[in-house]
Amino acid sequence: MAEQDWMTEVRAMVGREYGRVYAWDEVNAPMIRQWCEIMGVENPLYTDAAFAATTEYGAIVAPPAMLQAWCLEGLHPNNYPPGSTTENPYEVLRLMEGQGYQSVVAVNSDLTFERYVKVGEKLYYTTRLDAVGEQKTTALGTGYFVTLIMSFFSEKPGGNEKVGELLFRVFKFRPANAQPGADAPKTEAAPAAPKIKRPKPGVSDDTRFFWEGAAAGKLLIQRCKCCGTLRHPPGPVCTKCHSFEWDTVESAGKGSIYSFVVMHYPEVPPFDYPNPVGLIELDEGVRLIAGLVGVKRNEIAIGQRVQVEFQSFDDGELTLPLFRPVAP
């Protein structure tokens, strides 16, 4: 099928609304408490009923960032409550996969909120295919940006009320280093594809010290000059005393794995997969996200001791602090 033909079909889908996906449970205090515990949120408005009763809300409310969690399917994929739509809001991605755009990477996800949701409310969301961009070529490959918008509502006897919105954008692409299939026509040897480099971090006046320290083999942590509080990620102001004065302290680079994920898909060059990434709690008391090296997936454990090591990539253009497990 010619590209203009299948893209006409894709663009005809823009604006389509997909039916409701319901939450399994009403907004409830135990789930709020567990979410706050896992995320390290200590605002008493979310967990202390006595305190919440003294506020303008009169009772416990759910953290706004928790909005999407209420309507997730749970452990098993597509296990939604009875009454939820059986439509597939990602059908446009399946159509693009059929034309060779089989890789996907999340670009951005933006949550907006109309108000707090309260204990006892029952939520659902609907999905709209908002946009399919023009063809773009990036370091990952050639493809299209696809934007979906999920609108969240609270069921009300007098009319359902919108409480928030989630914009989710992905890049659906043909990898730049994709290999032709076995049945592809034989052609003359094409010039070698350029080597894909690791994406470089965004460097600002607030973070420059960290990356310059890494290049010198030092793990530097920002420190407030007034109260001595360490903070990471770096920022312009102390979150404790609000001072703008800061310096740095060199970490010993020792810590433990507070949490971790293992990335399997999508496979984005030039990273190796499976790709383990850890949330490291340094002995100095701050946490940072970094790659894990020298360990297999089934060997990673929460609380495991790790030590920083610095590795250079792309002929020395980029130096990253990575963490390797060490013997107890």
Side-chain angles (χ1 to χ4, degrees), residues 23-285:
W24 274 106
D25 303 287
E26 294 179 347
V27 176
N28 63 85
M31 288 180 66
I32 293 173
R33 176 181 56 78
Q34 292 168 11
W35 188 92
C36 288
E37 182 179 341
I38 291 171
M39 301 301 292
V41 175
E42 299 179 353
N43 189 334
L45 178 60
Y46 306 143
T47 55
D48 187 333
F51 172 83
T54 67
T55 70
E56 61 182 293
Y57 307 105
I60 287 174
V61 296
M66 193 180 175
L67 181 61
Q68 186 186 13
W70 296 111
C71 295
L72 294 178
E73 64 265 54
L75 179 63
H76 303 290
N78 301 316
N79 182 33
Y80 294 108
S84 297
T85 182
T86 58
E87 298 175 304
N88 179 9
Y90 303 104
E91 60 179 338
V92 65
L93 303 184
R94 301 292 177 263
L95 183 58
M96 297 173 78
E97 286 174 0
Q99 301 301 321
Y101 296 85
Q102 297 183 348
S103 295
V104 63
V105 63
V107 178
N108 63 296
S109 179
D110 300 328
L111 269 171
T112 57
F113 315 102
E114 303 291 332
R115 63 166 175 83
Y116 283 109
V117 296
K118 299 180 179 180
V119 171
E121 291 192 84
K122 190 68 179 288
L123 306 183
Y124 70 87
Y125 72 86
T126 60
T127 303
R128 183 179 80 254
L129 176 57
D130 186 64
V132 177
E134 297 299 321
Q135 188 180 83
K136 300 288 185 181
T137 299
T138 72
L140 295 176
T142 298
Y144 300 85
F145 289 94
V146 179
T147 304
L148 297 131
I149 293 180
M150 281 73 95
S151 298
F152 289 79
F153 297 87
S154 174
E155 293 186 297
K156 299 287 185 181
N160 298 335
E161 180 183 358
K162 186 174 181 180
V163 294
E165 187 175 89
L166 169 65
L167 179 150
F168 183 57
R169 181 176 291 120
V170 298
F171 184 54
K172 199 67 175 164
F173 64 98
R174 287 189 181 125
N177 62 345
Q179 300 297 317
D183 57 351
K186 304 298 182 181
T187 60
E188 293 184 7
K195 181 181 179 182
I196 306 270
K197 296 184 177 181
R198 287 195 173 222
K200 293 183 179 179
V203 178
S204 67
D205 290 340
D206 295 324
T207 63
R208 184 170 288 105
F209 79 90
F210 181 84
W211 299 110
E212 289 178 348
K218 298 179 180 180
L219 187 61
L220 300 180
I221 304 299
Q222 199 173 39
R223 177 177 59 185
C224 176
K225 278 188 174 182
C226 292
C227 68
T229 298
L230 300 180
R231 62 182 185 263
H232 190 88
V237 62
C238 177
T239 57
K240 187 173 182 179
C241 74
H242 301 158
S243 170
F244 285 87
E245 300 298 321
W246 60 270
D247 59 9
T248 63
V249 59
E250 184 177 356
S251 167
K254 297 179 180 180
S256 59
I257 297 177
Y258 184 84
S259 183
F260 69 92
V261 296
V262 179
M263 307 297 295
H264 294 272
Y265 181 84
E267 294 191 1
V268 178
F271 299 98
D272 296 324
Y273 291 84
N275 182 18
V277 180
L279 177 59
I280 309 301
E281 186 164 64
L282 296 175
D283 290 348
E284 288 81 5

Side-chain angles (χ1 to χ4, degrees), residues 256-258 260 295-305:
S256 59
I257 297 177
Y258 184 84
F260 69 92
V295 63
K296 297 179 180 179
R297 162 63 186 89
N298 58 0
E299 297 173 345
I300 305 174
I302 301 298
Q304 189 172 27
R305 294 292 295 173

